[in-house]
Every structure is written in structure tokens, then in C-alpha cells.
Amino acid sequence: MPCSDPESEAVVTLMDGFRASKALFTAVQLGLFDRLDGRTSSCADLASETDCVPHALERLLGFLCARGLLSVDAAGLYRNTRTAERFLLTSSPETLTGYILYSDRILYRLWGRLEDALHEGTNRWTQEFGAKDDIFDHFFSSDEDKEVFLKGMHGFGVTTSPRVVAAFDLSRFKTFVDLGGGTGHLTIEACKRYPNMQGVVFDLPKVKPVAERHVQAAGMSGRIAFSGGSFFEDALPLGDLYAMGRILHDWSEEKVRVLVRRAYEALPAGGALLLAEKLLNPAKDGPATSQLQSLNMLICTEGRERTAAEYEGLLKETGFREVRTAKTGGAVDAVLAVK
């Protein structure tokens, strides 16, 4: 469809967004970027390796070149660009492939049910997958599902956690406890930035081997421990700084209040709770990425995104005496509440 002016182009770009997403998802699913790691290849060879028809694959490769993820030379040989090497190789420490696979296998299908979610106000797990279990039971239903989900959260966290722990001066705190800490990316960054800080990753016991692998790779085994349990049911590890990274947006208002209350009651006087979440504008008219994430919470979870004022109200209602918020300039913002 031709675009005659910027206004129509803006609409067409939105309309075509799902095509670009699915093209990227498919490229990662086929392992195209990993196949080009450290080498060049022709379309014919890539087609043979991926069991694709050459003239069909050539169109996908052309799109990836147009988006700056691949380049092609005069001899028709394709190679990864620096962007692909950083974010689309499974071996890269900054890889987003886990989140991409999670988006392809789970989110892409759930978003097809958005209209029903808007009419009913509930997530789409049962409708799409027939799943009646807890959302996180679904993520951890097999070792492969667990690895894909945690790798996705880790890839996203690697890019956001450094900004979150730098948003406020946390140097006075001694023990950083990340509730629902997953692979430990937020704890690792906190301990890197604050040399006198010790860390604890608190998550379900089945997360332990993945978290310990990442902590060891970061050279932090001596400073970061893993503690297994449920933040709804089990005693929280002792610490003077609790963190919840993209946790509260998953849950209902009632469960959010339970989590915040449990953290408040376990903290010592002067202790604090650090939240890493996307903040909505005061009028809830943006940012666009935050609004999309709030819709994502609608179709996936019980939760939603909030404004800074909503977080402040929630935290002060619980008893926190001082609440500060900070836009990090990244995909996730930060909130610090002091007891």
C-alpha cells in the first residue's frame, strides 16, 4: 500500500508491525543468525540447512538486510551485522533470542485474542492453550519451557538492570534480596555497582540451577546466594534492600498488596524496596511501549502497568514513608520506597 503522507505512513507502519515481528521470530526460530555466526553463506546453502525453498527464504533474508540485521555482498553472500551479533546470537551475553522465542510461541498467539480480552477483561491462557494451571506453572511445565522463559527474561534484564540499580544511590544498603529474581541479572548488576553489597536471588527452587549458572558466569558466586521459595507463602530472606523486577505488574491488585505488605513487614527500619517497572504517563496517554506492555499484561496475567502516582499511593498506603521514582531512559523505570 503506497503512503502519500506522513500521517498515512504512521498508520501503515502500525498495520504492518505484526509482519515485521513474525519475520524476526521466524528468522530466530530457523537459527539463521546462529548459522551465520563467524561466517558468510549463500541463500541456497541457508535454504538447504533450514529445509526452506530458496526463492522463499531469499525474501526473508532481504527483509533482514533492509532492517540492518544482515548484509549481503556482490557475490550474494550474507553475513550478520553487529546488531545481530549482539542481540540475535544465542551465544551472546546480550542475546534477546529467549524473549523472541517466548514472544513467538506464547505472546504472538495470545495477542490474537486481544479483542476477547478487552471484552472480558481477563487473560487468554485458557482460551488459547487450554491451560487451567497457574501462568508460571505453564512457563515451568518442562525444562525447555523453563529455559526459554528464563533466557527471555535474562536477555531483557541484561539491557535494563544496569540503569535500574544506577537510578538511586544504593550504597548504604548491605544485602540486596531480589524477590522473584530469576537468573539473578538485577542482583548481579547491583553487586557490580556497589562493591560492599551482598546479594540473594529468591525464586522458586526449580530456578536454582539456571540462576547459579549465571551468577557463576558473572564471577559472583562468593557474593550472591540463591534462596528457594514462593514470595507469597515462604519467609523472605533477611536483607535491608528488597527488589522486585517486573513482578508487581503480573498480579491482581489484591496480590500486589500482599507482596508489598510482605516486603514491608520483613524489612528493618530504614530498609527499602526497589521496583523495576514501566511507568505510565500521569494521563495514561503513553509512553507507547508502556501502554503496549500494559495490554500485554491483560492478555497474559492478572496485572497491569501503573503511573508513578499509583505506585506512590500503593506504597505509602502500606506504610513506606518515602517514595521516589526515576525514569531511567531505558525500557524499565525505577521506584524506591523507604521504610
Side-chain angles (χ1 to χ4, degrees), residues 182-212:
T183 61
H185 53 82
L186 190 58
T187 315
I188 290 168
E189 292 301 330
C191 289
K192 282 182 180 178
R193 185 171 183 86
Y194 303 102
N196 296 323
M197 188 178 281
Q198 299 291 312
V200 179
V201 179
F202 181 74
D203 212 318
L204 299 174
K206 61 185 69 177
V207 177
K208 181 177 181 178
V210 182
E212 289 187 336

Side-chain angles (χ1 to χ4, degrees), residues 93-96 99 150-160 183 185:
E94 297 180 280
T95 187
L96 294 174
Y99 199 83
L150 290 175
K151 189 172 186 178
M153 297 303 100
H154 183 79
F156 187 86
V158 165
T159 65
T160 59
T183 61
H185 53 82

Side-chain angles (χ1 to χ4, degrees), residues 219-292:
M220 291 282 182
S221 298
R223 291 177 58 197
I224 299 176
F226 183 89
S227 178
S230 163
F231 47 42
F232 282 116
E233 299 171 358
D234 298 310
L236 303 183
L238 296 178
D240 57 349
L241 177 59
Y242 287 147
M244 295 184 189
R246 304 179 78 205
I247 297 294
L248 295 187
H249 74 170
D250 288 332
W251 303 101
S252 67
E253 292 298 310
E254 178 184 1
K255 291 178 180 176
V256 164
R257 282 176 165 74
V258 168
L259 289 176
V260 172
R261 171 60 62 181
R262 297 199 81 213
Y264 178 83
E265 291 176 348
L267 282 167
L273 173 62
L274 175 68
L275 304 179
E277 298 282 3
K278 288 177 175 286
L279 294 178
L280 300 176
N281 292 343
K284 296 187 178 180
D285 57 352
T289 54
S290 300
Q291 295 294 164
L292 281 175

Side-chain angles (χ1 to χ4, degrees), residues 114 117-118 120-124 293-304:
L114 177 59
L118 292 170
E120 299 179 23
T122 56
N123 69 60
R124 299 293 93 195
Q293 183 67 353
S294 203
L295 283 172
N296 197 55
M297 293 299 97
L298 171 64
I299 63 169
C300 291
T301 71
E302 310 169 35
R304 64 184 178 90

Side-chain angles (χ1 to χ4, degrees), residues 161-179:
S161 292
R163 293 178 185 239
V164 171
V165 299
F168 308 102
D169 181 4
L170 306 176
S171 59
R172 70 180 178 86
F173 298 105
K174 302 303 181 186
T175 305
F176 184 99
V177 181
D178 192 0
L179 305 177

Side-chain angles (χ1 to χ4, degrees), residues 48 68 78 97 105 162 165 174 188 259 273 288 314 320 323 327:
S48 176
Y78 294 88
T97 55
R105 299 173 186 177
V165 299
K174 302 303 181 186
I188 290 168
L259 289 176
L273 173 62
L314 169 69
F320 287 99
V323 179
K327 291 278 191 171

Side-chain angles (χ1 to χ4, degrees), residues 17-35:
F18 78 96
R19 304 183 191 185
S21 297
K22 189 60 177 177
L24 175 61
F25 298 165
T26 303
V28 171
Q29 189 71 44
L30 290 172
L32 290 178
F33 304 105
D34 284 342
R35 295 175 193 278

